[in-house]
Amino acid sequence: MAAASFTAAKFLAPVAARSGGDRAPPLPAIGAASARPRRGAQQTRLRTALAVSSDVLAGNKAAQAAAGEPVVTREEALEVYEDMVLGRVFEDMCAQMYYRGKMFGFVHLYNGQEAVSTGFIKLLNQADCVVSTYRDHVHALSKGVPARSVMAELFGKATGCCRGQGGSMHMFSAPHNLLGGFAFIGEGIPVATGAAFAAKYRHEVLKQSSPDGLDVTLAFFGDGTCNNGQFFECLNMAQLWKLPIVFVVENNLWAIGMSHLRATSDPEIYKKGPAFGMPGVHVDGMDVLKVREVAKEAIQRARRGEGPTLVECETYRFRGHSLADPDELRKPDEKSHYAARDPITALKKYIIEYNLATESELKSIEKKIDDIVEEAVEFADASPHPPRSQLLENVFADPKGFGIGPDGKYRCEDPKFTQGTAQV
Amino acid sequence: MAAAASSSCTLRGVGAVASAKPRSAAAPAARSARVAAAAKGPARGRLVARNAVAVTPRRMRRPRRLDPSQAALREGLIEEMKSDPTVCVMGEDVGHYGGSYKVTKGLAEMFGDLRVLDTPIAENSFTGMGIGAAMKGLRPIVEGMNMGFLLLAYNQISNNCGMLHYTSGGQFKIPVVIRGPGGVGRQLGAEHSQRLESYFQSIPGLQMVACSTPYNAKGLMKAAIRSENPVVLFEHVLLYNLKEKIPDEEYICCLEVAEMVRPGEHVTILTYSRMRYHVMQAAKTLVNKGYDPEVIDIRSLKPFDLHTIGNSIKKTHRVLIVEECMRTGGIGASLRSAIIDNFWDYLDAPIMCLSSQDVPTPYAGTLEDATVVQPAQIVAAVEQICQ
């Protein structure tokens, strides 16, 4: 198994401060047999939250820079920085706009998790696919959907990426191969599996090959989803047929108000990969460079046709589950622990330390992003609402699906159909 | 009337045969269905059904071609898979086993294991996989080994199959065909005797058709595969071994059009799938009693072909719906309401709807017979309507 490639993802000892429980012994590196029973540790670990201290902040750069070399180039670092800042500023603006009554319904913000989206998606080609959940704004932005299209969609305007018909939880973009945006957790994973199946099919049946290898699909979902049947069914099918997919778990420890530990018999999600025959990797999801390293390997595996990988990113959302969530159950010390591991602050520190860019260059990136997001709001504000005529247009790809009316004509031939007022 | 409807139905390539034209080869009688049913196997375990004793009219004894429904379906599949390499099949036991009702027999040898994919038992996930593949350019045909199993795929069928074209603002299309055997069989028990058309009918963005003869089975299969919309094709467990002469030349049945089975003057009987045969059986008795029923196989369960149906009602002024769905919330309930909305002024009598009982289908044969509509009830209903 290619698990040995994942050397970057080592386990460190859990932090005792989290829940006052005992310090559990270090968890084994991925190459080790996961079948070894650790009963005593099992008990302790279930009571202790799985908090892993960050290499970057603790100053331990062993995994990253043995010879004092940065693990990314200046261009890569700036690209990554800009993408994360875009995600953060955009989501903050969403919160503002929501409270000003410009967007409605359920809005789930991504603050704090930027390292996962950026770490993975910036490695993809245009032909690669991303499938997300309802927490999808930043996945859309990382995949290249313009901020103005996403903001307009959130405002419910006709210029939104889904013409205002999808909303916050249903971001789609065919040119960027963003296959949604799903409101029910778990229901995107089979869709992602299908996209990966299509990539394999194109290669093997249609004989359409690319020199890069197979087109890869990334499926993003959370810890709560990992107790859902669709997750397991797709792990099985993806490994069975060696589909070019990476299952990315954004384990932020909470499914609305349900703690991952209260919901899951074995909370170590990465271990469920080997149970299906694929590598399972755990990575510090607050560290974009670590995520990127793991992502590189997982994506390359998929491209080479070696099959899927399960990557568990330990991450955290700084805001509540959605803008309607009072977020009363999470303890302040847990929140401050992760706030101190803010991936953007950490990367900024890294960039400065390794002289990849200056403070003022980073500031100018931040200013650029501020402008982009403000422009996106202006664009969305100024855009028109969808007209009534849009109501019936996209129900069917072939509008003959509305059938034949009493007069013998197809319903869609009724002139009122394009006005959105036809009887259908 | 129906010809006008089919002329506006422009399907790709093929000269569309007007599907509303009465078939010269009479549909095999209900007795044949009962005998054929004795030969069919349950969902798992039994392999190929024994050759049914098809009761066919004398003039068809030496046919040019006599195809059972399941072979007609298979032919439709093969033709489409040959002409379009993006068409693929996925489902449980569709490949090496050839399908639980042998619809996909031989396809895996012809097209390979990826194009005819044997899936693990994970309906929701492999249906979703079909949807994702469709979004990325393939045209999957997802088989529910029994339609009832697709209840497990309801999440994907409702949320993703029906809705993604809309929620994505028209960016992705989902040209999947979801098909499988359903309906009440021979003592298969409650869970294998379900009628999912009543559950799926409200899902926006979905089309539903039900085949009932080898001719329309092949035609609807091909049309469904070619359609850009997601189509659910309801086959019936008891109809796979019906035999009928079908054309050698390529043809398609329009998805949105109903089929005129027997023109008449006194009453419009609307039916679909297996109940068509009970209706035709009853029609013989009715004719002997001096009635002249017009029998329409609606075929398109969603949307309804209101043109064919309406023209018939305008002629006969009396409607009887005969369906296999349960009384509550079935296709008949929707059809009745659509007729009232559109053709109230043409009715001389209340619409009658004969449906199955709101009862989980019992195993015992006598009780099972009592849950579905029998020809005698149809005769009695027509007599009542025509008073």
Side-chain angles (χ1 to χ4, degrees):
Chain A
M1 207 177 293
S5 315
F6 291 104
T7 51
K10 289 272 197 321
F11 276 99
L12 303 169
V15 169
R18 250 168 167 273
S19 68
D22 298 307
R23 200 177 257 276
L27 302 160
I30 302 305
S34 48
R36 199 181 71 216
R38 297 183 305 279
R39 280 179 212 89
Q42 184 90 349
Q43 296 288 47
T44 321
R45 193 173 56 247
L46 287 177
R47 280 197 289 275
T48 334
L50 287 172
V52 181
S53 62
S54 162
D55 263 355
V56 174
L57 286 186
N60 176 4
K61 303 193 178 50
Q64 287 171 289
E69 297 278 311
V71 297
V72 280
T73 65
R74 175 190 146 85
E75 287 71 32
E76 288 168 344
L78 292 180
E79 182 195 19
V80 158
Y81 185 77
E82 182 172 329
D83 194 57
M84 289 206 290
V85 170
L86 173 61
R88 179 69 59 88
V89 172
F90 188 93
E91 296 291 74
D92 282 338
M93 183 61 81
C94 282
Q96 259 195 66
M97 293 297 113
Y98 189 84
Y99 293 126
R100 284 199 204 168
K102 306 276 196 169
M103 58 178 84
F104 310 93
F106 293 126
V107 178
H108 308 82
L109 299 180
Y110 199 74
N111 299 48
Q113 299 183 198
E114 295 86 0
V116 181
S117 178
T118 300
F120 268 93
I121 299 180
K122 289 331 253 181
L123 294 171
L124 295 181
N125 301 330
Q126 186 272 343
D128 297 321
C129 297
V130 166
V131 173
S132 179
T133 60
Y134 45 72
R135 204 178 297 284
D136 56 353
H137 309 168
V138 178
H139 294 139
L141 295 171
S142 292
K143 196 56 170 71
V145 183
R148 46 172 28 202
S149 296
V150 183
M151 192 61 81
E153 183 61 31
L154 292 168
F155 281 31
K157 300 295 183 83
T159 49
C161 53
C162 301
R163 310 179 82 198
Q165 289 165 197
S168 168
M169 299 185 281
H170 303 284
M171 293 290 167
F172 289 82
S173 176
H176 301 98
N177 279 307
L178 174 67
L179 271 58
F182 293 92
F184 284 26
I185 57 130
E187 73 179 354
I189 305 178
V191 173
T193 309
F197 176 83
K200 184 181 166 93
Y201 190 100
R202 279 196 295 279
H203 178 76
E204 289 186 18
V205 176
L206 303 178
K207 311 290 187 211
Q208 294 164 6
S209 295
S210 141
D212 293 333
L214 297 170
D215 293 331
V216 173
T217 302
L218 302 184
F220 291 91
F221 47 93
D223 43 283
T225 307
C226 296
N227 293 325
N228 187 273
Q230 287 172 101
F231 169 64
F232 298 109
E233 289 173 357
C234 290
L235 285 185
N236 178 47
M237 291 196 293
Q239 176 60 24
L240 191 59
W241 300 315
K242 294 235 179 331
L243 300 182
I245 186 171
V246 183
F247 297 101
V248 184
V249 183
E250 296 177 306
N251 183 354
N252 59 22
L253 298 174
W254 291 87
I256 310 188
M258 190 63 166
S259 147
H260 176 55
L261 301 177
R262 288 184 69 222
T264 316
S265 52
D266 186 344
E268 292 178 288
I269 300 169
Y270 73 94
K271 272 172 52 183
K272 301 178 189 191
F276 287 88
M278 73 181 78
V281 188
H282 180 282
V283 68
D284 175 2
M286 305 306 276
D287 181 338
V288 67
L289 300 177
K290 283 202 188 127
V291 171
R292 196 178 151 96
E293 242 181 282
V294 167
K296 255 189 218 165
E297 178 59 37
I299 291 170
Q300 284 310 315
R301 256 181 58 82
R303 271 204 217 297
R304 289 191 299 260
E306 290 168 26
T309 311
L310 175 65
V311 180
E312 179 185 354
C313 305
E314 183 204 337
T315 182
Y316 202 76
R317 50 169 166 82
F318 294 156
R319 290 181 180 268
H321 163 74
S322 72
L323 290 173
D325 174 18
D327 192 15
E328 287 158 349
L329 287 177
R330 302 192 300 173
K331 301 232 169 15
D333 59 341
E334 182 185 271
K335 293 188 198 180
S336 56
H337 168 82
Y338 280 99
R341 288 164 61 183
D342 186 328
I344 296 177
T345 320
L347 181 65
K348 187 169 193 168
K349 190 158 178 260
Y350 187 91
I351 288 175
I352 305 289
E353 240 178 84
Y354 281 86
N355 287 319
L356 292 168
T358 62
E359 204 47 80
S360 71
E361 278 173 314
L362 296 181
K363 278 258 177 316
S364 74
I365 288 179
E366 287 157 27
K367 167 93 183 44
K368 173 181 166 196
I369 294 300
D370 280 338
D371 289 342
I372 288 177
V373 173
E374 276 199 34
E375 193 274 326
V377 171
E378 280 161 18
F379 172 78
D381 248 340
S383 291
H385 288 284
R388 179 67 193 250
S389 59
Q390 211 177 291
L391 182 68
L392 304 170
E393 276 169 14
N394 302 129
V395 177
F396 288 103
D398 178 357
K400 295 214 293 284
F402 279 118
I404 300 170
D407 60 2
K409 294 215 284 269
Y410 274 94
R411 297 283 203 193
C412 57
E413 291 169 342
D414 179 345
K416 293 207 269 189
F417 183 84
T418 42
Q419 293 162 24
T421 52
Q423 169 81 18
V424 283
Chain B
M1 31 163 192
S6 63
S7 68
S8 64
C9 169
T10 46
L11 287 156
R12 268 200 276 146
V14 194
V17 175
S19 50
K21 204 171 58 183
R23 295 292 306 145
S24 55
R31 173 167 168 266
S32 150
R34 216 165 294 145
V35 173
K40 70 121 190 54
R44 276 192 174 281
R46 303 258 294 269
L47 290 173
V48 186
R50 297 192 297 278
N51 274 335
V53 174
V55 174
T56 48
R58 196 172 291 274
R59 65 180 176 279
M60 284 175 61
R61 286 279 163 77
R62 266 182 300 276
R64 223 171 55 231
R65 217 165 67 180
L66 197 63
D67 287 301
S69 286
Q70 118 251 70
L73 288 162
R74 182 163 61 244
E75 246 179 57
L77 266 175
I78 291 176
E79 284 174 19
E80 293 305 301
M81 286 179 81
K82 277 187 175 158
S83 71
D84 184 348
T86 64
V87 178
C88 55
V89 179
M90 51 184 73
E92 294 157 12
D93 272 331
V94 296
H96 296 187
Y97 192 75
S100 58
Y101 287 88
K102 298 303 159 208
V103 173
T104 52
K105 184 175 177 193
L107 263 60
E109 285 86 359
M110 286 177 72
F111 298 108
D113 280 352
L114 204 61
R115 278 191 87 182
V116 187
L117 186 73
D118 277 324
T119 62
I121 305 175
E123 278 79 3
N124 202 24
S125 291
F126 70 68
T127 303
M129 194 175 89
I131 291 164
M135 290 166 76
K136 285 304 292 173
L138 301 189
R139 304 185 83 92
I141 298 153
V142 177
E143 172 172 313
M145 183 183 268
N146 182 285
M147 273 309 229
F149 301 171
L150 293 181
L151 286 174
L152 289 145
Y154 208 109
N155 179 179
Q156 292 292 339
I157 293 174
S158 163
N159 286 10
N160 290 348
C161 194
M163 295 198 201
L164 284 190
H165 185 71
Y166 195 80
T167 51
S168 68
Q171 293 185 76
F172 291 100
K173 59 183 167 92
I174 324 275
V176 296
V177 178
I178 296 175
R179 52 159 291 271
V184 177
R186 286 292 154 209
Q187 298 187 247
L188 300 181
E191 293 180 12
H192 281 82
S193 310
Q194 301 193 67
R195 285 125 285 168
L196 259 54
E197 56 268 25
S198 59
Y199 305 153
F200 289 158
Q201 63 176 323
S202 300
I203 299 172
L206 216 57
Q207 271 188 263
M208 304 196 313
V209 290
C211 59
S212 52
T213 66
Y215 177 83
N216 64 36
K218 179 176 177 185
L220 289 172
M221 171 70 91
K222 285 170 71 87
I225 294 172
R226 295 185 187 194
S227 172
E228 302 294 1
N229 298 332
V231 179
V232 185
L233 170 58
F234 290 92
E235 301 155 17
H236 196 287
V237 288
L238 295 183
L239 301 184
Y240 282 117
N241 285 322
L242 295 174
K243 298 196 179 191
E244 184 186 5
K245 192 169 103 170
I246 64 177
D248 283 335
E249 67 272 13
E250 194 176 20
Y251 70 94
I252 286 194
C253 290
C254 182
L255 290 175
E256 296 90 23
V257 160
E259 184 179 322
M260 177 66 68
V261 182
R262 182 194 186 281
E265 297 288 327
H266 291 165
V267 59
T268 298
I269 306 183
L270 302 172
T271 186
Y272 67 93
S273 191
R274 178 204 174 194
M275 285 297 124
R276 167 185 175 141
Y277 296 94
H278 283 203
V279 167
M280 291 310 289
Q281 178 70 13
K284 289 183 182 171
T285 310
L286 287 167
V287 164
N288 287 342
K289 292 189 174 198
Y291 293 96
D292 186 21
E294 176 151 294
V295 179
I296 293 175
D297 182 338
I298 62 171
R299 263 183 12 198
S300 179
L301 307 182
K302 176 179 167 139
F304 297 131
D305 175 4
L306 291 178
H307 186 240
T308 305
I309 292 170
N311 284 349
S312 178
I313 295 172
K314 288 174 188 175
K315 182 169 64 165
T316 68
H317 309 293
R318 291 175 157 78
V319 182
L320 170 65
I321 300 169
V322 180
E323 60 163 354
E324 207 177 52
C325 277
M326 265 91 71
R327 169 166 315 282
T328 302
I331 297 292
S334 302
L335 187 51
R336 197 184 216 162
S337 134
I339 291 171
I340 290 172
D341 278 348
N342 287 286
F343 308 115
W344 173 259
D345 288 333
Y346 297 96
L347 294 170
D348 283 348
I351 304 171
M352 278 193 75
C353 182
L354 295 177
S355 319
S356 296
Q357 306 273 355
D358 280 344
V359 162
T361 310
Y363 164 72
T366 45
L367 288 179
E368 181 182 68
D369 282 343
T371 61
V372 298
V373 178
Q374 299 297 343
Q377 292 165 269
I378 300 171
V379 172
V382 169
E383 287 176 327
Q384 187 183 331
I385 285 184
C386 290
Q387 266 165 12

